[in-house]
Amino acid sequence: MNAISMGLANIASKPCKEQISNAAGLLIISPQRFANFMADSTHTKHIHIAIASGVEAAKRTSEIFTLCYQIALQSIDIEIQPTDSIFTDSLQYYTNFLPSFKPKRFSLKKSKETQKAPPIQDSTESNMRLRFNQAVMNFQDKQIRIDKQQTEATKAQGYCGFEVRVCVKANAQVSPDIESMYALQTALLSLFGIFKHDEMATIAQMRLMR
């Protein structure tokens, strides 16, 4: 049987330079839970604990993840912003576009040769263009109405929660993307533990910011 080998790639030839990685994510909770949390005088303590947990996670990333380089971190900045106006990407958009208005005129002979379409008169072409432009305008108007309705519906649902942003800087040959994502996940999970009995509690949109 063939042997299976595994190891870190050699990055010794890469120059060290300042690398920056940004990550962001959301924790969505119910409006009532959010109001109760913000009314509690100790809510800042929980936020500070979540930030400290994220910083510690970024520092220990190479110990947790296999085949992760141990790099020199310069700074770890974590910002947690409580907000009552979270918008998600769950909006549904109208995607059925317009049918083709291009006229096709052809006939099929016994020899299966296709005749050329007769030239379209100027008046017919102008009429078709007007119809097409009108259809495009109707489509755009409908899209605007749907966007407005979806935005109003999202506001009515009252999405509340926390926006978490992480910025990790390092002087290394590789970007600290794993460090920033691990810090983001840890901070969000630390907050999630406070609201784990909330049915609306959801961690969403964890992503690297490019």
Side-chain angles (χ1 to χ4, degrees), residues 73-110:
L73 301 180
Q74 292 180 330
S75 65
I76 306 168
D77 297 319
I78 300 178
E79 177 185 351
I80 298 179
Q81 178 64 48
T83 177
D84 59 356
S85 57
I86 291 179
F87 293 89
T88 66
D89 293 337
S90 60
L91 303 183
Q92 300 295 324
Y93 291 96
Y94 180 78
T95 56
N96 295 328
F97 199 64
L98 307 168
S100 174
F101 288 95
K102 183 178 180 181
K104 297 180 181 179
R105 298 181 182 178
F106 61 91
S107 61
L108 194 63
K109 288 185 176 181
K110 293 182 180 179

Side-chain angles (χ1 to χ4, degrees), residues 36-181:
N36 294 340
F37 177 80
M38 296 304 295
D40 189 348
S41 59
T42 63
H43 74 275
T44 56
K45 179 183 71 174
H46 297 291
I47 294 178
H48 290 158
I49 291 174
I51 293 174
S53 300
V55 170
E56 186 65 22
K59 291 165 57 179
R60 301 186 60 183
T61 301
S62 61
E63 301 176 16
I64 304 299
F65 290 91
T66 306
L67 302 180
C68 180
Y69 296 99
Q70 187 174 5
I71 59 179
L73 301 180
Q74 292 180 330
S75 65
I76 306 168
D77 297 319
I78 300 178
E79 177 185 351
I80 298 179
Q81 178 64 48
T83 177
D84 59 356
S85 57
I86 291 179
F87 293 89
T88 66
D89 293 337
S90 60
L91 303 183
Q92 300 295 324
Y93 291 96
Y94 180 78
T95 56
N96 295 328
F97 199 64
L98 307 168
S100 174
F101 288 95
K102 183 178 180 181
K104 297 180 181 179
R105 298 181 182 178
F106 61 91
S107 61
L108 194 63
K109 288 185 176 181
K110 293 182 180 179
S111 60
K112 297 184 179 180
E113 293 180 357
T114 304
Q115 292 182 344
K116 292 184 179 180
I120 302 174
Q121 300 297 328
D122 293 341
S123 59
T124 304
E125 183 177 359
S126 177
N127 185 34
M128 299 300 293
R129 184 173 296 277
L130 288 174
R131 288 177 57 194
F132 178 79
N133 292 338
Q134 184 62 41
V136 170
M137 292 177 61
N138 292 339
F139 171 80
Q140 293 174 345
D141 291 342
K142 186 170 184 178
Q143 182 68 71
I144 292 173
R145 290 197 303 271
I146 291 177
D147 289 346
K148 185 177 180 180
Q149 292 172 1
Q150 293 286 358
T151 302
E152 291 175 353
T154 302
K155 289 182 178 179
Q157 290 177 6
Y159 287 149
C160 301
F162 305 88
E163 296 177 353
V164 181
R165 295 182 178 273
V166 178
C167 178
V168 178
K169 296 181 181 179
N171 185 25
Q173 292 105 325
V174 294
S175 178
D177 291 335
I178 300 179
E179 284 78 4
S180 63
M181 284 298 293

